[in-house]
């Protein structure tokens, strides 16, 4: 079975984003970028499935600028076999990403698409669901456990009330949650080997997909500065303050 793993280049989770002075977006100049953490989990799970003999090939896919090749090389160093970059300097919305991934899936014919549940830059949590709809494949979102059984995938999902287990007929789309696994660090030998692995570059035009934006960003602003707290003498004073604020 072939597993397709989409990965996204985002601002590193340790970096505090800055808004541009004109409010047009987030400032990416001289900012450390890395693979979206949820996508790292997806790559790790794909590698584990291959190690268990459930998969034969892992193909990493990214959509973005030429610098996204660095993110794909990270996926290759973690264990992916080859990579595809759909290169564009344009900001791509979730629906366009899903359409591009659907076109790649039509070419690659994977048995499973394993991807992060959301990206930490926009937190949309839409692409996996849209992709499943476009492909007309079953979907298992927020996966905390994934097992391949015959021609099906068993997915334990994180839900509001605890967990839910579903059985999906392959091919299917599965999105990963934080509890699924702990991603491995890429070793130096694997990083060197990744430089020699195949990385194919395509464009949205090659796939026949229109990525024109459907949304217009009017303004981006920083969240309001948190106000300083106030010390109170005792519990009675605290209750009085809460009553004054209408909390109790």
């Amino acid at each position: 079975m072939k597993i397709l793993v989409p990965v996204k280049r985002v601002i590193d989770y340790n970096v505090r984003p800055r808004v541009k002075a004109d409010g047009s977006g987030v400032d990416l100049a001289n900012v450390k970028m890395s693979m979206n953490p949820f996508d790292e989990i997806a790559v790790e799970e794909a590698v584990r499935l291959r190690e268990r003999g459930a998969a034969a090939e892992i193909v990493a896919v990214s959509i973005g600028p030429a610098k996204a090749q660095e993110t794909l090389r990270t996926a290759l160093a973690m264990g992916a076999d080859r990579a595809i970059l759909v290169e564009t300097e344009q900001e791509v919305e979730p629906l366009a990403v899903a359409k591009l991934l659907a076109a790649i899936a039509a070419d690659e014919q994977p048995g499973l698409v394993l991807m992060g549940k959301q990206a930490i830059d926009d937190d949309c949590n839409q692409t996996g669901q849209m992709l499943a709809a476009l492909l007309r494949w079953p979907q298992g979102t927020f996966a905390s456990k994934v097992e391949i059984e015959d021609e099906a995938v068993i997915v334990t999902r994180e839900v509001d009330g605890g967990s839910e287990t579903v059985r999906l007929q392959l091919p299917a789309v599965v999105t990963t949650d934080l509890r699924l696994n702990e991603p491995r660090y890429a070793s130096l030998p694997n990083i060197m080997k990744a430089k020699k692995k195949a990385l194919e570059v395509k464009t949205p035009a090659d796939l026949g997909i229109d990525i024109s934006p459907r949304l217009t960003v009017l303004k981006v602003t920083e969240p309001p500065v948190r106000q300083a707290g106030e010390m109170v003498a005792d519990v009675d004073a605290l209750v009085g303050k809460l009553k004054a604020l209408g909390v109790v």
Side-chain angles (χ1 to χ4, degrees):
M1 180 179 69
K2 182 189 296 183
I3 300 179
L4 196 68
V5 186
V7 297
K8 186 176 184 181
R9 179 176 181 265
V10 299
I11 295 178
D12 189 88
Y13 69 93
N14 288 311
V15 175
R16 184 175 183 271
R18 302 188 308 271
V19 174
K20 292 180 181 178
D22 61 0
S24 61
V26 176
D27 187 4
L28 300 180
N30 302 314
V31 174
K32 181 183 178 183
M33 308 292 283
S34 62
M35 187 190 301
N36 177 47
F38 290 103
D39 298 340
E40 282 187 316
I41 293 170
V43 174
E44 173 65 25
E45 192 63 22
V47 173
R48 293 188 184 191
L49 288 173
R50 188 185 60 195
E51 290 172 346
R52 295 200 294 266
E57 185 182 24
I58 301 169
V59 182
V61 183
S62 190
I63 299 163
K67 289 183 178 179
Q69 290 191 31
E70 301 170 6
T71 305
L72 287 171
R73 291 295 178 193
T74 300
L76 292 171
M78 290 176 66
D81 298 294
R82 57 188 176 91
I84 300 171
L85 172 63
V86 182
E87 186 174 336
T88 175
E89 296 296 327
Q90 183 177 327
E91 190 73 26
V92 187
E93 295 173 357
L95 179 58
V97 172
K99 289 180 178 179
L100 290 168
L101 293 175
I104 291 173
D107 291 338
E108 294 290 335
Q109 293 295 305
L112 178 66
V113 176
L114 196 56
M115 59 195 299
K117 69 172 184 177
Q118 65 194 76
I120 62 171
D121 53 358
D122 55 22
D123 276 334
C124 283
N125 182 19
Q126 296 174 334
T127 305
Q129 293 89 328
M130 289 176 172
L131 176 61
L134 290 170
L135 293 173
R136 296 183 180 274
W137 289 3
Q139 61 176 304
T141 54
F142 319 129
S144 60
K145 186 177 181 181
V146 176
E147 295 177 306
I148 304 297
E149 185 179 288
D150 298 326
E151 295 299 316
V153 56
I154 313 299
V155 180
T156 301
R157 305 178 57 239
E158 298 281 343
V159 296
D160 291 341
S163 63
E164 173 188 64
T165 301
V166 294
R167 180 185 176 93
L168 312 173
Q169 196 69 27
L170 294 173
V173 176
V174 174
T175 68
T176 60
D177 214 330
L178 286 174
R179 297 186 190 181
L180 181 57
N181 61 51
E182 182 78 23
R184 68 191 68 189
Y185 287 102
S187 65
L188 182 57
N190 286 339
I191 292 173
M192 300 306 292
K193 290 177 184 177
K195 295 180 180 180
K196 297 180 180 179
K197 291 184 178 180
L199 196 161
E200 184 181 1
V201 179
K202 299 184 178 184
T203 66
D206 294 336
L207 298 170
I209 303 298
D210 177 17
I211 61 171
S212 301
R214 266 68 173 177
L215 302 175
T216 301
V217 177
L218 301 180
K219 190 176 182 182
V220 177
T221 59
E222 298 227 10
V225 178
R226 185 175 180 178
Q227 300 296 316
E230 180 181 346
M231 297 292 292
V232 294
D234 50 34
V235 174
D236 291 337
L238 174 61
V239 172
K241 289 283 186 182
L242 292 175
K243 286 182 177 180
L245 294 171
V247 177
V248 295

